[in-house]
Amino acid sequence: MTTLTRRTFLHAMSAVCAAGPALAKSPLAVLKAAVAEQQVLPTEYPATPLWTFNGTFPGEALRIKQGDRVIRKLENTLPQSTAVHWHGIRIDNAMDGVPGLTQAAVEPGGAFDYDFAVPDAGTYWYHSHNRSTEQIARGLYGSLIVEEAEGPDVDRDIVLLLDDMRLTQTGEISEDFDSMHDKSHAGRLGNIVLTNGRMDLSYDVQRNQRLRLRLINASNARIFQLGLQGLNAWTVALDGMPLDQPQAVEGSFVIAPAQRVDLIVDVVADAGSEAFLIHFERDGGFAQVTFDVGGQDATQTRPAPSPLPPNPDHGRTDLAAATPIPLVMEGGAMGGMRGAMMGGRRMAMRELVQGGQAWALNGVAGLPEAPLVDVFQSETVRISMRNDTAFPHAMHLHGHHFREVLPDGTQGPLRDTILINRNETRDIAFVAHNPGDWLVHCHMLSHQAAGMKTWMRVQ
């Protein structure tokens, strides 16, 4: 089948407006992974068969209070095994949802009980972590919002799940999940771009309203470069963790796969006009989300927002006492890697590619037998990540947040995913406070599937 281009739809979308899935105040006790259909394309096209949680795409937005427990029974009615990773939560290791490392995959017809506390308020998400290149592309993800006891002074709290999807002319998801081109290049990129599962998402707002926008990049590999028009904004949290001080948004900003950005936004566009969250591409800027300004809420804008309440302490990162760990990324197209270890033996690049592998971390393709990091609780770890490939990588650490060590020796904000561009070296540091075996991998999911993953052990 021929595939669509995003351009095919840009001029046919004006009638497709929706506010996205409703936010569930009391999430269901069962999280059912099941096949469903949803109208993703304009209505003149067929509905798209998807894999969903509880029948909706994206999955229901789960909202809970900080300190409460998430208790969900995953029921798998899909034709494949699956599991759920609760991305960004400092979670009990047994609940992290990584088949082969923290649990067995849940077979078709099977179930698994997830039960864990959420210590940190913020914007998180849940997604499949089994055959994730395919299963997330088919729709298996949703947002997990942990609400502060006292949230910021805003008129609306809006979750925006950014994604792209590769569809055929008949509205089906293109099933080339094992494309070696995707694996060895930039990853699986879609031909349509979505927000909350819609191609043309809009909200009705008022001038001088204050919004909280929770941006989540749920795509397989797309790096979103975003900007704002008719909106004044401050970044107040990254990857769920509050900034010490809100940072005014000036110009465009980038959100890599799996990253989250919380914005406090004032609507400053005139009544009767439109404001936009804009997605920039090489051939121009496009409306990712439209805000229709129907009137005026107040005569003046509010003062700049205050910081969000801090989350519990993650421990002091003592760089002087940190255990140094090198992590070298190699491989991919135009990368020059001749070979790597896999399965306990050295393989030439041609043999690796025949086995579906294209990348290596520290000379090893795929999950190694020995951990990258093996430390005791409360130790500080410093990982120096060097990208010797021709492509960017969004490196994600499970079970912990880290701080980037900046060139002047200071430390950046807490994050759980960092984008490392080609020929870059970036250091991260964190306190290994959470015991267990934790995955470390590229969240360009085709890269993970093709070898870019390792793990660490906290004893």
Side-chain angles (χ1 to χ4, degrees):
M1 297 179 181
T2 57
T3 56
L4 299 168
T5 64
R6 183 181 177 216
R7 183 68 63 189
T8 306
F9 296 108
L10 285 174
H11 300 295
M13 299 191 306
S14 59
V16 185
C17 295
L23 300 179
K25 291 296 183 183
S26 299
L28 298 177
V30 171
L31 199 61
K32 180 179 287 188
V35 176
E37 285 193 350
Q38 189 162 305
Q39 194 69 42
V40 175
L41 301 179
T43 53
E44 61 266 31
Y45 293 88
T48 296
L50 299 163
W51 292 2
T52 66
F53 288 118
N54 288 350
T56 66
F57 169 65
E60 270 189 285
L62 308 181
R63 280 188 178 262
I64 63 171
K65 292 293 186 180
Q66 184 177 9
D68 286 353
R69 300 191 72 84
V70 172
I71 304 174
R72 298 290 177 274
K73 178 183 287 293
L74 171 66
E75 294 182 352
N76 183 15
T77 66
L78 298 172
Q80 287 180 8
S81 302
T82 193
V84 180
H85 171 53
W86 309 88
H87 188 113
I89 300 294
R90 295 193 287 169
I91 199 168
D92 296 336
N93 187 248
M95 298 288 104
D96 197 43
V98 181
L101 193 63
T102 69
Q103 70 169 89
V106 181
E107 299 293 333
F112 186 90
D113 292 336
Y114 291 97
D115 183 352
F116 56 90
V118 283
D120 302 314
T123 301
Y124 307 96
W125 63 305
Y126 61 97
H127 62 78
S128 166
H129 220 299
N130 191 59
R131 299 180 65 165
S132 53
T133 305
E134 175 178 355
Q135 293 192 7
I136 292 177
R138 289 187 183 275
L140 281 178
Y141 66 81
S143 59
L144 173 59
I145 306 304
V146 183
E147 297 176 331
E148 303 92 349
E150 294 186 16
D153 176 23
V154 296
D155 298 306
R156 297 179 71 180
D157 185 324
I158 298 172
V159 180
L160 299 174
L161 282 146
L162 313 179
D163 193 9
D164 61 358
M165 187 171 281
R166 188 180 295 178
L167 297 182
T168 68
Q169 289 280 13
T170 56
E172 297 171 312
I173 295 171
S174 179
E175 298 198 0
D176 51 346
F177 304 111
D178 291 324
S179 162
M180 204 61 210
H181 181 275
D182 291 345
K183 287 183 173 182
S184 61
H185 287 70
R188 181 183 174 91
L189 299 173
N191 50 21
I192 61 169
V193 175
L194 307 173
T195 310
N196 292 352
R198 310 295 181 188
M199 292 181 65
D200 191 11
L201 179 65
S202 69
Y203 291 91
D204 292 329
V205 298
Q206 301 288 309
R207 178 175 167 81
N208 291 332
Q209 275 191 329
R210 176 161 282 186
L211 316 174
R212 181 177 186 168
L213 302 183
R214 300 176 184 262
L215 307 177
I216 303 170
N217 186 346
S219 70
N220 260 253
R222 184 177 294 274
I223 300 168
F224 282 90
Q225 182 180 358
L226 302 172
L228 302 167
Q229 181 176 314
L231 304 167
N232 288 345
W234 295 263
T235 302
V236 293
L238 297 172
D239 293 351
M241 294 296 137
L243 300 183
D244 293 336
Q245 291 294 330
Q247 300 295 316
V249 176
E250 298 178 359
S252 65
F253 60 98
V254 168
I255 179 169
Q259 289 185 330
R260 286 90 65 214
V261 177
D262 281 42
L263 302 176
I264 300 294
V265 169
D266 286 342
V267 180
V268 295
D270 291 334
S273 65
E274 296 176 322
F276 301 97
L277 175 68
I278 302 168
H279 167 212
F280 294 105
E281 295 183 343
R282 285 179 296 183
D283 52 349
F286 307 95
Q288 186 79 29
V289 182
T290 301
F291 299 90
D292 294 311
V293 186
Q296 182 159 296
D297 182 68
T299 57
Q300 294 181 335
T301 57
R302 287 174 246 195
S306 301
L308 298 176
N311 279 322
D313 186 26
H314 288 232
R316 179 176 177 270
T317 49
D318 183 358
L319 296 181
T323 300
I325 305 290
L327 184 63
V328 180
M329 308 171 198
E330 301 172 282
M334 302 169 287
M337 186 174 76
R338 294 174 178 266
M341 296 293 295
M342 190 174 79
R345 68 183 182 89
R346 178 134 186 115
M347 297 185 185
M349 191 65 182
R350 177 175 293 184
E351 188 177 5
L352 289 170
V353 170
Q354 289 173 347
Q357 302 296 285
W359 309 90
L361 297 175
N362 287 356
V364 180
L367 204 65
E369 184 174 328
L372 170 73
V373 178
D374 191 349
V375 295
F376 292 99
Q377 288 184 63
S378 300
E379 288 189 46
T380 298
V381 177
R382 179 172 179 167
I383 303 178
S384 182
M385 299 184 177
R386 191 176 87 223
N387 184 355
D388 284 349
T389 80
F391 296 93
H393 302 288
M395 297 303 294
H396 172 50
L397 175 62
H398 283 224
H400 297 73
H401 282 71
F402 54 77
R403 296 184 187 273
E404 182 178 1
V405 182
L406 302 174
D408 63 1
T410 60
Q411 298 179 48
L414 286 165
R415 301 213 70 155
D416 60 49
T417 306
I418 186 170
L419 181 65
I420 305 177
N421 290 310
R422 58 183 296 179
N423 300 321
E424 273 191 339
T425 297
R426 301 177 73 177
D427 285 17
I428 64 170
F430 59 95
V431 177
H433 62 81
N434 203 353
D437 293 345
W438 301 102
L439 195 64
V440 182
H441 67 98
C442 178
H443 224 285
M444 276 74 170
L445 298 173
S446 297
H447 295 175
Q448 174 195 255
M452 194 165 276
K453 56 188 173 183
T454 185
W455 60 292
M456 72 173 193
R457 173 167 290 161
V458 180
Q459 303 187 47

PDB file of all heavy atoms in Angstrom, residues 108-124:
ATOM      1  N   PRO A 108      -1.029 -12.883  25.982  1.00  0.00           N
ATOM      2  CA  PRO A 108      -2.430 -12.697  25.597  1.00  0.00           C
ATOM      3  C   PRO A 108      -3.351 -13.524  26.492  1.00  0.00           C
ATOM      4  O   PRO A 108      -3.108 -14.709  26.739  1.00  0.00           O
ATOM      5  CB  PRO A 108      -2.460 -13.188  24.151  1.00  0.00           C
ATOM      6  CG  PRO A 108      -1.063 -12.948  23.653  1.00  0.00           C
ATOM      7  CD  PRO A 108      -0.168 -13.216  24.827  1.00  0.00           C
ATOM      8  N   GLY A 109      -4.378 -12.870  27.011  1.00  0.00           N
ATOM      9  CA  GLY A 109      -5.287 -13.526  27.943  1.00  0.00           C
ATOM     10  C   GLY A 109      -4.847 -13.447  29.389  1.00  0.00           C
ATOM     11  O   GLY A 109      -5.603 -13.846  30.283  1.00  0.00           O
ATOM     12  N   GLY A 110      -3.649 -12.921  29.636  1.00  0.00           N
ATOM     13  CA  GLY A 110      -3.119 -12.837  30.989  1.00  0.00           C
ATOM     14  C   GLY A 110      -3.382 -11.495  31.643  1.00  0.00           C
ATOM     15  O   GLY A 110      -3.980 -10.590  31.052  1.00  0.00           O
ATOM     16  N   ALA A 111      -2.921 -11.374  32.893  1.00  0.00           N
ATOM     17  CA  ALA A 111      -3.122 -10.147  33.659  1.00  0.00           C
ATOM     18  C   ALA A 111      -1.935  -9.927  34.587  1.00  0.00           C
ATOM     19  O   ALA A 111      -1.159 -10.860  34.874  1.00  0.00           O
ATOM     20  CB  ALA A 111      -4.418 -10.221  34.460  1.00  0.00           C
ATOM     21  N   PHE A 112      -1.790  -8.696  35.033  1.00  0.00           N
ATOM     22  CA  PHE A 112      -0.725  -8.334  35.983  1.00  0.00           C
ATOM     23  C   PHE A 112      -1.236  -7.189  36.835  1.00  0.00           C
ATOM     24  O   PHE A 112      -1.823  -6.231  36.317  1.00  0.00           O
ATOM     25  CB  PHE A 112       0.549  -7.927  35.245  1.00  0.00           C
ATOM     26  CG  PHE A 112       1.728  -7.681  36.146  1.00  0.00           C
ATOM     27  CD1 PHE A 112       2.596  -8.717  36.465  1.00  0.00           C
ATOM     28  CD2 PHE A 112       1.971  -6.420  36.684  1.00  0.00           C
ATOM     29  CE1 PHE A 112       3.688  -8.499  37.301  1.00  0.00           C
ATOM     30  CE2 PHE A 112       3.059  -6.195  37.514  1.00  0.00           C
ATOM     31  CZ  PHE A 112       3.919  -7.242  37.828  1.00  0.00           C
ATOM     32  N   ASP A 113      -1.000  -7.279  38.153  1.00  0.00           N
ATOM     33  CA  ASP A 113      -1.448  -6.239  39.070  1.00  0.00           C
ATOM     34  C   ASP A 113      -0.313  -5.254  39.338  1.00  0.00           C
ATOM     35  O   ASP A 113       0.740  -5.641  39.845  1.00  0.00           O
ATOM     36  CB  ASP A 113      -1.909  -6.849  40.391  1.00  0.00           C
ATOM     37  CG  ASP A 113      -3.183  -7.671  40.241  1.00  0.00           C
ATOM     38  OD1 ASP A 113      -3.940  -7.415  39.279  1.00  0.00           O
ATOM     39  OD2 ASP A 113      -3.422  -8.560  41.077  1.00  0.00           O
ATOM     40  N   TYR A 114      -0.551  -3.992  38.994  1.00  0.00           N
ATOM     41  CA  TYR A 114       0.381  -2.914  39.317  1.00  0.00           C
ATOM     42  C   TYR A 114      -0.135  -2.187  40.555  1.00  0.00           C
ATOM     43  O   TYR A 114      -1.313  -1.820  40.620  1.00  0.00           O
ATOM     44  CB  TYR A 114       0.516  -1.934  38.148  1.00  0.00           C
ATOM     45  CG  TYR A 114       1.222  -2.520  36.949  1.00  0.00           C
ATOM     46  CD1 TYR A 114       0.501  -3.044  35.876  1.00  0.00           C
ATOM     47  CD2 TYR A 114       2.611  -2.568  36.884  1.00  0.00           C
ATOM     48  CE1 TYR A 114       1.147  -3.587  34.775  1.00  0.00           C
ATOM     49  CE2 TYR A 114       3.266  -3.109  35.792  1.00  0.00           C
ATOM     50  CZ  TYR A 114       2.530  -3.619  34.740  1.00  0.00           C
ATOM     51  OH  TYR A 114       3.173  -4.161  33.654  1.00  0.00           O
ATOM     52  N   ASP A 115       0.760  -1.971  41.506  1.00  0.00           N
ATOM     53  CA  ASP A 115       0.385  -1.328  42.765  1.00  0.00           C
ATOM     54  C   ASP A 115       1.607  -0.586  43.286  1.00  0.00           C
ATOM     55  O   ASP A 115       2.584  -1.213  43.696  1.00  0.00           O
ATOM     56  CB  ASP A 115      -0.095  -2.378  43.767  1.00  0.00           C
ATOM     57  CG  ASP A 115      -0.579  -1.773  45.089  1.00  0.00           C
ATOM     58  OD1 ASP A 115      -0.398  -0.556  45.291  1.00  0.00           O
ATOM     59  OD2 ASP A 115      -1.115  -2.530  45.918  1.00  0.00           O
ATOM     60  N   PHE A 116       1.577   0.748  43.255  1.00  0.00           N
ATOM     61  CA  PHE A 116       2.746   1.517  43.661  1.00  0.00           C
ATOM     62  C   PHE A 116       2.329   2.910  44.108  1.00  0.00           C
ATOM     63  O   PHE A 116       1.282   3.424  43.707  1.00  0.00           O
ATOM     64  CB  PHE A 116       3.761   1.621  42.509  1.00  0.00           C
ATOM     65  CG  PHE A 116       3.223   2.207  41.241  1.00  0.00           C
ATOM     66  CD1 PHE A 116       3.263   3.577  40.997  1.00  0.00           C
ATOM     67  CD2 PHE A 116       2.640   1.399  40.268  1.00  0.00           C
ATOM     68  CE1 PHE A 116       2.755   4.119  39.838  1.00  0.00           C
ATOM     69  CE2 PHE A 116       2.111   1.932  39.092  1.00  0.00           C
ATOM     70  CZ  PHE A 116       2.186   3.300  38.885  1.00  0.00           C
ATOM     71  N   ALA A 117       3.156   3.501  44.946  1.00  0.00           N
ATOM     72  CA  ALA A 117       2.933   4.871  45.409  1.00  0.00           C
ATOM     73  C   ALA A 117       3.572   5.848  44.438  1.00  0.00           C
ATOM     74  O   ALA A 117       4.526   5.516  43.730  1.00  0.00           O
ATOM     75  CB  ALA A 117       3.525   5.055  46.801  1.00  0.00           C
ATOM     76  N   VAL A 118       3.054   7.071  44.409  1.00  0.00           N
ATOM     77  CA  VAL A 118       3.618   8.124  43.553  1.00  0.00           C
ATOM     78  C   VAL A 118       4.103   9.261  44.452  1.00  0.00           C
ATOM     79  O   VAL A 118       3.308  10.061  44.929  1.00  0.00           O
ATOM     80  CB  VAL A 118       2.603   8.625  42.511  1.00  0.00           C
ATOM     81  CG1 VAL A 118       2.475   7.639  41.370  1.00  0.00           C
ATOM     82  CG2 VAL A 118       1.230   8.847  43.125  1.00  0.00           C
ATOM     83  N   PRO A 119       5.418   9.333  44.703  1.00  0.00           N
ATOM     84  CA  PRO A 119       5.924  10.327  45.647  1.00  0.00           C
ATOM     85  C   PRO A 119       5.987  11.739  45.092  1.00  0.00           C
ATOM     86  O   PRO A 119       6.014  12.698  45.867  1.00  0.00           O
ATOM     87  CB  PRO A 119       7.334   9.809  45.938  1.00  0.00           C
ATOM     88  CG  PRO A 119       7.734   9.066  44.699  1.00  0.00           C
ATOM     89  CD  PRO A 119       6.468   8.433  44.198  1.00  0.00           C
ATOM     90  N   ASP A 120       6.026  11.875  43.764  1.00  0.00           N
ATOM     91  CA  ASP A 120       6.280  13.173  43.143  1.00  0.00           C
ATOM     92  C   ASP A 120       5.068  13.651  42.364  1.00  0.00           C
ATOM     93  O   ASP A 120       4.504  12.904  41.559  1.00  0.00           O
ATOM     94  CB  ASP A 120       7.475  13.087  42.183  1.00  0.00           C
ATOM     95  CG  ASP A 120       8.739  12.628  42.875  1.00  0.00           C
ATOM     96  OD1 ASP A 120       9.027  13.152  43.964  1.00  0.00           O
ATOM     97  OD2 ASP A 120       9.435  11.741  42.334  1.00  0.00           O
ATOM     98  N   ALA A 121       4.689  14.908  42.577  1.00  0.00           N
ATOM     99  CA  ALA A 121       3.681  15.533  41.716  1.00  0.00           C
ATOM    100  C   ALA A 121       4.308  15.845  40.359  1.00  0.00           C
ATOM    101  O   ALA A 121       5.522  15.998  40.241  1.00  0.00           O
ATOM    102  CB  ALA A 121       3.155  16.803  42.366  1.00  0.00           C
ATOM    103  N   GLY A 122       3.472  15.936  39.331  1.00  0.00           N
ATOM    104  CA  GLY A 122       3.999  16.311  38.032  1.00  0.00           C
ATOM    105  C   GLY A 122       3.315  15.604  36.887  1.00  0.00           C
ATOM    106  O   GLY A 122       2.300  14.917  37.045  1.00  0.00           O
ATOM    107  N   THR A 123       3.890  15.779  35.696  1.00  0.00           N
ATOM    108  CA  THR A 123       3.352  15.257  34.443  1.00  0.00           C
ATOM    109  C   THR A 123       4.145  14.027  34.034  1.00  0.00           C
ATOM    110  O   THR A 123       5.341  14.115  33.755  1.00  0.00           O
ATOM    111  CB  THR A 123       3.413  16.335  33.346  1.00  0.00           C
ATOM    112  OG1 THR A 123       2.663  17.470  33.773  1.00  0.00           O
ATOM    113  CG2 THR A 123       2.857  15.821  32.030  1.00  0.00           C
ATOM    114  N   TYR A 124       3.489  12.888  33.981  1.00  0.00           N
ATOM    115  CA  TYR A 124       4.118  11.618  33.633  1.00  0.00           C
ATOM    116  C   TYR A 124       3.247  10.932  32.577  1.00  0.00           C
ATOM    117  O   TYR A 124       2.223  11.448  32.153  1.00  0.00           O
ATOM    118  CB  TYR A 124       4.284  10.746  34.886  1.00  0.00           C
ATOM    119  CG  TYR A 124       4.999  11.484  35.997  1.00  0.00           C
ATOM    120  CD1 TYR A 124       4.293  12.116  37.013  1.00  0.00           C
ATOM    121  CD2 TYR A 124       6.393  11.589  36.002  1.00  0.00           C
ATOM    122  CE1 TYR A 124       4.946  12.828  38.010  1.00  0.00           C
ATOM    123  CE2 TYR A 124       7.058  12.299  36.998  1.00  0.00           C
ATOM    124  CZ  TYR A 124       6.323  12.918  37.997  1.00  0.00           C
ATOM    125  OH  TYR A 124       6.974  13.628  38.970  1.00  0.00           O
TER     126      TYR A 124
END
